[in-house]
Amino acid sequence: DAGVIQSPRHEVTEMGQEVTLRCKPISGHDYLFWYRQTMMRGLELLIYFNNNVPIDDSGMPEDRFSAKMPNASFSTLKIQPSEPRDSAVYFCASSHVLNNEQFFGPGTRLTVL
Amino acid sequence: GEDVEQSLFLSVREGDSSVINCTYTDSSSTYLYWYKQEPGAGLQLLTYIFSNMDMKQDQRLTVLLNKKDKHLSLRIADTQTGDSAIYFCAHAGNNRKLIWGLGTSLAVNP
């Protein structure tokens, strides 16, 4: 397996633009997590899914953020409109139902100008 | 509370042992984890320990858990330059949500 795949790896956009981050979890994993990492706040869980259903979205900062998982092999995190304070590294991770080891993707480094 | 606290920086000489400490507040934690993040990469699980264990050893890594004091430590024996990274402590209760520390940046000096 190629591991968790995220795209794009880097994204630079201007304030007000829509940003879509993509994730392909490891095949067979039932859980998918979206995290944001910044120097100031560390690693923050934004939302996680179980069998494509959102379970806990209490970490989503505000209505500008939305996440979907239309099938077991794909998820998106969308920011609309983006703001400079959204600049961070966004990680996707997945895990199997039988254990809690989370496998992380390489992350998307987002810069909002 | 669900806080996890770690010191932010640790510097050691190559060949010495490194000890990274972590304290947490949630006494219901069932699993405790150490993850490693190398520059420009995602986090990778190093090791974990169940809350009913005191110690776990895996090659150069030793995890110690003091459940009474809610203290977790990771010892890396014979630290190498390749061990330079950020080390995250995390714990989980009965759900899938991990509570993370801010990470300890380990610098290994030749």
Side-chain angles (χ1 to χ4, degrees):
Chain A
D1 201 317
V4 176
I5 298 172
Q6 291 187 247
S7 65
R9 292 294 312 274
H10 301 274
E11 175 84 26
V12 180
T13 191
E14 291 187 344
M15 183 173 64
Q17 296 298 305
E18 177 179 295
V19 174
T20 300
L21 311 181
R22 296 173 175 80
C23 175
K24 180 181 182 341
I26 292 174
S27 177
H29 280 191
D30 313 271
Y31 289 84
L32 184 140
F33 306 81
W34 281 103
Y35 289 93
R36 177 172 68 178
Q37 186 179 38
T38 61
M39 289 292 290
M40 293 300 296
R41 294 187 299 271
L43 197 64
E44 302 172 279
L45 176 66
L46 301 177
I47 185 171
Y48 78 94
F49 295 83
N50 176 215
N51 292 326
N52 315 337
V53 176
I55 302 301
D56 185 342
D57 65 355
S58 59
M60 295 286 262
E62 48 200 88
D63 292 345
R64 297 184 299 105
F65 285 69
S66 62
K68 293 181 180 179
M69 192 164 186
N71 57 62
S73 59
F74 184 66
S75 177
T76 59
L77 178 68
K78 188 174 291 188
I79 309 172
Q80 166 63 17
S82 58
E83 297 182 3
R85 61 193 167 117
D86 302 330
S87 297
V89 181
Y90 290 81
F91 288 105
C92 175
S94 68
S95 68
H96 193 275
V97 65
L98 292 179
N99 69 63
N100 208 9
E101 177 180 356
Q102 294 185 18
F103 291 81
F104 281 73
T108 295
R109 181 173 293 277
L110 174 65
T111 303
V112 183
L113 303 173
Chain B
E2 298 182 327
D3 290 342
V4 176
E5 292 191 1
Q6 303 178 237
S7 53
L8 293 182
F9 301 100
L10 177 65
S11 180
V12 300
R13 286 190 309 179
E14 190 174 15
D16 288 351
S17 292
S18 308
V19 179
I20 302 171
N21 294 301
C22 168
T23 58
Y24 59 98
T25 56
D26 186 355
S27 58
S28 68
S29 297
T30 53
Y31 304 89
L32 297 110
Y33 303 88
W34 284 105
Y35 278 77
K36 176 183 180 182
Q37 184 180 28
E38 296 183 353
L43 283 71
Q44 183 178 21
L45 180 67
L46 266 184
T47 187
Y48 66 93
I49 189 168
F50 293 108
S51 58
N52 62 357
M53 298 169 64
D54 298 325
M55 185 181 87
K56 181 179 180 182
Q57 187 149 5
D58 183 3
Q59 299 182 335
R60 292 191 297 122
L61 305 178
T62 303
V63 179
L64 295 178
L65 174 60
N66 182 327
K67 199 172 178 185
K68 173 177 169 288
D69 293 340
K70 299 189 188 73
H71 182 267
L72 182 73
S73 68
L74 173 70
R75 179 176 180 268
I76 306 172
D78 187 24
T79 313
Q80 303 297 308
T81 54
D83 295 323
S84 294
I86 302 175
Y87 291 81
F88 290 88
C89 168
H91 70 89
N94 293 322
N95 61 29
R96 290 284 167 152
K97 195 170 172 178
L98 293 184
I99 308 301
W100 299 85
L102 290 179
T104 299
S105 180
L106 174 65
V108 182
N109 305 308

XYZ file of all heavy atoms in Angstrom, chain A residues 46-105:
474
model
N -9.367 18.363 13.598
C -10.475 19.150 13.058
C -11.755 18.330 13.021
O -12.814 18.765 13.477
C -10.136 19.646 11.647
C -8.882 20.517 11.523
C -8.636 20.863 10.060
C -9.020 21.765 12.360
N -11.665 17.113 12.470
C -12.837 16.267 12.293
C -12.360 14.847 12.077
O -11.246 14.633 11.602
C -13.684 16.750 11.079
C -14.979 15.956 10.944
C -12.870 16.695 9.791
C -15.943 16.537 9.905
N -13.199 13.869 12.466
C -12.890 12.515 12.048
C -14.142 11.765 11.629
O -15.254 12.066 12.078
C -12.052 11.754 13.078
C -12.762 11.191 14.288
C -13.224 9.882 14.301
C -12.891 11.943 15.455
C -13.815 9.344 15.425
C -13.478 11.414 16.583
C -13.933 10.115 16.579
O -14.528 9.585 17.707
N -13.934 10.802 10.742
C -15.001 10.005 10.147
C -14.814 8.531 10.528
O -13.692 8.058 10.685
C -14.936 10.076 8.605
C -15.197 11.428 8.016
C -14.176 12.370 7.939
C -16.440 11.756 7.518
C -14.402 13.622 7.385
C -16.686 12.999 6.958
C -15.662 13.936 6.887
N -15.935 7.837 10.644
C -15.932 6.391 10.777
C -16.849 5.830 9.704
O -18.041 6.201 9.661
C -16.395 5.970 12.177
C -16.496 4.457 12.322
O -17.372 3.959 13.013
N -15.599 3.704 11.699
N -16.327 4.970 8.858
C -17.123 4.430 7.745
C -17.831 5.534 6.971
O -19.040 5.446 6.695
C -18.131 3.388 8.269
C -17.429 2.144 8.777
O -16.397 1.729 8.253
N -17.987 1.549 9.814
N -17.087 6.571 6.683
C -17.518 7.702 5.845
C -18.471 8.659 6.548
O -18.912 9.643 5.942
C -18.179 7.230 4.531
C -17.411 6.120 3.847
O -16.208 5.967 4.064
N -18.099 5.342 3.048
N -18.805 8.407 7.790
C -19.753 9.254 8.516
C -18.975 10.153 9.484
O -18.159 9.639 10.254
C -20.768 8.390 9.290
C -21.693 9.273 10.127
C -21.566 7.520 8.338
N -19.220 11.461 9.482
C -18.527 12.322 10.444
C -18.969 12.013 11.868
O -20.166 11.964 12.156
C -18.948 13.738 10.018
C -20.193 13.564 9.226
C -20.131 12.213 8.597
N -17.994 11.789 12.744
C -18.290 11.411 14.121
C -18.116 12.606 15.068
O -18.919 12.804 15.969
C -17.379 10.258 14.582
C -17.549 9.043 13.674
C -17.650 9.901 16.041
C -18.967 8.499 13.618
N -17.071 13.366 14.864
C -16.784 14.484 15.759
C -16.189 15.604 14.927
O -15.079 15.469 14.408
C -15.814 14.043 16.859
C -15.552 15.127 17.897
O -15.832 16.313 17.632
O -15.049 14.779 18.983
N -16.924 16.683 14.780
C -16.412 17.842 14.037
C -16.234 19.054 14.954
O -16.212 20.194 14.492
C -17.330 18.196 12.862
C -18.700 18.651 13.323
O -18.987 18.611 14.540
O -19.501 19.058 12.457
N -16.099 18.787 16.237
C -16.005 19.892 17.197
C -14.740 20.722 17.029
O -14.665 21.843 17.522
C -16.088 19.353 18.628
O -15.040 18.434 18.871
N -13.762 20.189 16.330
C -12.526 20.937 16.116
C -12.537 21.814 14.885
O -11.582 22.577 14.662
N -13.579 21.746 14.094
C -13.648 22.584 12.888
C -13.785 24.038 13.341
O -14.729 24.376 14.071
C -14.838 22.172 12.028
C -14.695 20.769 11.467
S -13.499 20.683 10.146
C -14.593 20.779 8.742
N -12.875 24.895 12.880
C -12.812 26.256 13.438
C -14.095 27.063 13.263
O -14.521 27.732 14.168
C -11.647 26.899 12.691
C -10.869 25.780 12.106
C -11.832 24.664 11.865
N -14.680 27.012 12.126
C -15.862 27.839 11.866
C -16.508 27.367 10.574
O -16.054 26.421 9.947
C -15.453 29.305 11.774
C -14.266 29.567 10.876
C -13.583 30.884 11.167
O -12.686 30.910 12.037
O -13.939 31.881 10.525
N -17.582 28.055 10.202
C -18.360 27.607 9.049
C -17.601 27.679 7.736
O -18.047 27.106 6.742
C -19.648 28.436 8.930
C -20.600 28.151 10.079
O -20.391 27.134 10.772
O -21.537 28.938 10.273
N -16.483 28.343 7.720
C -15.720 28.408 6.478
C -15.083 27.058 6.141
O -14.666 26.817 5.019
C -14.620 29.469 6.589
C -15.135 30.882 6.783
C -13.993 31.905 6.799
N -13.042 31.681 7.871
C -11.812 31.165 7.692
N -11.388 30.832 6.484
N -10.994 31.018 8.725
N -15.006 26.192 7.143
C -14.399 24.873 6.960
C -15.496 23.823 6.802
O -16.467 23.803 7.561
C -13.547 24.506 8.175
C -12.231 25.217 8.257
C -12.172 26.582 8.508
C -11.038 24.522 8.104
C -10.951 27.240 8.586
C -9.813 25.172 8.193
C -9.766 26.535 8.430
N -15.295 22.936 5.820
C -16.212 21.811 5.666
C -15.421 20.599 5.202
O -14.406 20.735 4.523
C -17.325 22.144 4.674
O -16.797 22.395 3.390
N -15.876 19.423 5.589
C -15.201 18.189 5.190
C -16.242 17.177 4.746
O -17.337 17.115 5.299
C -14.368 17.620 6.335
N -15.850 16.402 3.740
C -16.734 15.380 3.232
C -15.955 14.090 3.023
O -14.744 14.109 2.819
C -17.362 15.813 1.893
C -18.306 16.986 2.000
C -18.891 17.324 0.634
C -19.851 18.504 0.742
N -20.417 18.875 -0.573
N -16.686 12.997 3.064
C -16.088 11.699 2.736
C -17.123 10.939 1.918
O -17.922 10.171 2.480
C -15.675 10.949 3.991
C -14.806 9.749 3.690
S -13.955 9.142 5.145
C -12.920 7.897 4.379
N -17.149 11.145 0.618
C -18.193 10.535 -0.218
C -18.067 9.022 -0.352
O -19.064 8.342 -0.636
C -17.997 11.223 -1.568
C -16.594 11.723 -1.559
C -16.261 12.033 -0.142
N -16.862 8.491 -0.147
C -16.679 7.032 -0.191
C -15.477 6.665 0.658
O -14.779 7.555 1.179
C -16.523 6.539 -1.642
C -15.375 7.209 -2.360
O -14.220 7.075 -1.951
N -15.687 7.944 -3.418
N -15.215 5.379 0.771
C -14.179 4.902 1.704
C -12.767 5.256 1.272
O -11.833 5.108 2.053
C -14.304 3.391 1.857
N -12.609 5.720 0.056
C -11.252 5.950 -0.425
C -10.960 7.416 -0.720
O -9.934 7.740 -1.340
C -10.992 5.110 -1.681
O -11.914 5.440 -2.689
N -11.817 8.321 -0.263
C -11.589 9.711 -0.618
C -12.264 10.651 0.369
O -13.424 10.457 0.757
C -12.133 9.970 -2.030
C -11.873 11.354 -2.548
C -10.586 11.787 -2.804
C -12.929 12.227 -2.782
C -10.341 13.063 -3.285
C -12.697 13.506 -3.268
C -11.396 13.927 -3.529
N -11.526 11.693 0.732
C -12.092 12.726 1.590
C -11.543 14.079 1.162
O -10.424 14.179 0.634
C -11.733 12.479 3.058
O -12.224 13.513 3.892
N -12.343 15.117 1.373
C -11.893 16.481 1.089
C -12.102 17.374 2.301
O -13.035 17.168 3.089
C -12.663 17.098 -0.099
O -14.061 17.110 0.203
C -12.413 16.337 -1.375
N -11.237 18.340 2.425
C -11.384 19.415 3.411
C -11.377 20.712 2.616
O -10.437 20.983 1.871
C -10.228 19.400 4.413
C -10.229 20.508 5.469
C -11.388 20.331 6.448
C -8.897 20.520 6.249
N -12.452 21.470 2.775
C -12.608 22.674 1.982
C -12.623 23.895 2.896
O -13.257 23.871 3.966
C -13.902 22.602 1.172
C -14.085 23.713 0.162
C -15.331 23.471 -0.692
C -15.155 22.289 -1.612
N -16.290 22.158 -2.572
N -11.977 24.946 2.458
C -11.993 26.225 3.178
C -12.492 27.282 2.196
O -11.909 27.488 1.135
C -10.587 26.629 3.692
C -9.946 25.477 4.476
C -10.687 27.866 4.574
C -8.484 25.724 4.843
N -13.596 27.910 2.553
C -14.188 28.907 1.669
C -14.938 29.949 2.494
O -15.924 29.606 3.151
C -15.148 28.226 0.678
C -16.093 29.158 -0.076
C -15.379 30.153 -0.985
O -14.227 29.988 -1.310
N -16.097 31.190 -1.363
N -14.507 31.200 2.476
C -13.297 31.727 1.840
C -12.079 31.546 2.754
O -12.208 31.521 3.973
C -13.627 33.213 1.694
C -14.509 33.513 2.876
C -15.303 32.246 3.125
N -10.922 31.430 2.168
C -9.706 31.252 2.966
C -9.221 32.600 3.513
O -9.488 33.661 2.937
C -8.609 30.594 2.123
O -8.321 31.376 0.983
N -8.522 32.514 4.657
C -7.962 33.697 5.307
C -6.504 33.413 5.659
O -6.123 32.253 5.826
C -8.749 34.031 6.576
C -10.198 34.395 6.322
C -10.948 34.771 7.583
O -10.330 34.803 8.672
O -12.168 35.038 7.484
N -5.697 34.468 5.815
C -4.271 34.247 6.145
C -4.068 33.395 7.409
O -3.118 32.615 7.472
C -3.743 35.678 6.334
C -4.584 36.499 5.412
C -5.967 35.877 5.489
N -4.959 33.499 8.366
C -4.784 32.723 9.607
C -5.045 31.230 9.402
O -4.829 30.430 10.323
C -5.693 33.251 10.713
C -7.187 33.179 10.405
C -7.959 34.013 11.402
N -9.352 34.215 10.980
C -10.388 33.762 11.666
N -10.207 33.088 12.787
N -11.624 33.984 11.248
N -5.515 30.846 8.222
C -5.680 29.426 7.907
C -4.364 28.793 7.457
O -4.298 27.564 7.274
C -6.718 29.237 6.795
C -8.075 29.816 7.157
O -8.408 29.840 8.364
O -8.793 30.257 6.239
N -3.335 29.588 7.274
C -2.038 29.062 6.847
C -1.530 28.076 7.896
O -1.425 28.402 9.086
C -1.037 30.200 6.665
O -1.456 31.078 5.639
N -1.217 26.873 7.448
C -0.827 25.785 8.354
C -0.463 24.575 7.505
O -0.581 24.598 6.277
C -1.972 25.426 9.305
N -0.052 23.516 8.172
C 0.078 22.221 7.504
C -1.129 21.383 7.903
O -1.431 21.238 9.101
C 1.382 21.500 7.889
C 1.471 20.163 7.147
C 2.594 22.360 7.563
N -1.817 20.855 6.911
C -3.010 20.058 7.143
C -2.664 18.588 6.877
O -2.194 18.232 5.800
C -4.150 20.521 6.237
C -4.672 21.882 6.637
C -4.009 23.041 6.238
C -5.805 22.011 7.439
C -4.463 24.292 6.634
C -6.269 23.256 7.830
C -5.591 24.390 7.425
O -6.037 25.626 7.823
N -2.919 17.772 7.895
C -2.632 16.344 7.785
C -3.929 15.550 7.741
O -4.898 15.855 8.434
C -1.812 15.853 8.984
C -0.383 16.312 8.981
C 0.032 17.326 9.835
C 0.544 15.714 8.146
C 1.346 17.743 9.839
C 1.874 16.130 8.156
C 2.269 17.157 8.999
N -3.883 14.501 6.956
C -4.919 13.487 6.962
C -4.289 12.219 7.546
O -3.105 11.937 7.303
C -5.395 13.249 5.533
S -6.577 11.926 5.316
N -5.056 11.484 8.323
C -4.576 10.229 8.893
C -5.703 9.212 8.821
O -6.882 9.578 8.788
C -4.116 10.421 10.338
N -5.338 7.935 8.806
C -6.366 6.894 8.834
C -5.948 5.790 9.786
O -4.767 5.641 10.112
C -6.636 6.353 7.428
O -5.525 5.631 6.924
N -6.940 5.042 10.249
C -6.652 3.920 11.144
C -7.672 2.814 10.918
O -8.753 3.037 10.373
C -6.658 4.366 12.614
O -7.952 4.735 13.040
N -7.300 1.636 11.376
C -8.154 0.459 11.232
C -8.998 0.291 12.491
O -8.573 0.679 13.581
C -7.274 -0.771 10.999
C -8.027 -1.972 10.545
N -8.633 -2.829 11.430
C -8.281 -2.454 9.314
C -9.221 -3.799 10.755
N -9.017 -3.600 9.468
N -10.131 -0.330 12.349
C -11.040 -0.498 13.479
C -10.421 -1.319 14.605
O -10.748 -1.137 15.778
C -12.367 -1.133 13.016
C -12.137 -2.558 12.500
C -13.408 -1.126 14.111
N -9.471 -2.197 14.255
C -8.937 -3.107 15.266
C -7.869 -2.492 16.160
O -7.543 -3.061 17.195
C -8.377 -4.358 14.588
C -9.422 -5.261 13.934
C -8.748 -6.450 13.272
C -10.454 -5.730 14.960
N -7.292 -1.379 15.762
C -6.345 -0.718 16.659
C -6.369 0.771 16.385
O -6.966 1.228 15.416
C -4.929 -1.291 16.529
C -4.290 -0.949 15.210
O -4.059 0.204 14.897
N -3.991 -1.966 14.418
N -5.737 1.523 17.252
C -5.838 2.972 17.176
C -4.592 3.620 16.589
O -4.414 4.819 16.723
C -6.121 3.546 18.563
C -6.889 4.861 18.484
O -7.351 5.251 17.420
N -7.008 5.545 19.603
N -3.721 2.838 15.937
C -2.543 3.452 15.339
C -2.987 4.272 14.142
O -3.604 3.759 13.207
C -1.530 2.409 14.880
C -0.327 3.044 14.187
C 0.708 2.052 13.721
O 0.549 0.847 14.001
O 1.690 2.489 13.088
N -2.674 5.551 14.184
C -3.041 6.435 13.089
C -1.855 6.576 12.142
O -0.739 6.864 12.572
C -3.465 7.798 13.629
C -4.749 7.731 14.447
C -5.255 9.091 14.882
O -4.872 10.120 14.341
N -6.144 9.085 15.864
N -2.120 6.377 10.866
C -1.112 6.519 9.830
C -1.330 7.876 9.158
O -2.414 8.137 8.632
C -1.228 5.395 8.804
C -0.848 4.053 9.353
C -1.747 3.314 10.114
C 0.406 3.519 9.113
C -1.398 2.075 10.636
C 0.759 2.280 9.613
C -0.142 1.556 10.379
N -0.297 8.680 9.172
C -0.406 10.034 8.662
C 0.068 10.143 7.219
O 1.032 9.476 6.810
C 0.432 10.995 9.514
C -0.226 11.383 10.810
C -0.315 10.485 11.861
C -0.747 12.654 10.974
C -0.921 10.838 13.055
C -1.348 13.026 12.168
C -1.432 12.119 13.205
N -0.594 11.032 6.482
C -0.095 11.418 5.183
C 1.023 12.428 5.327
O 1.339 12.863 6.437
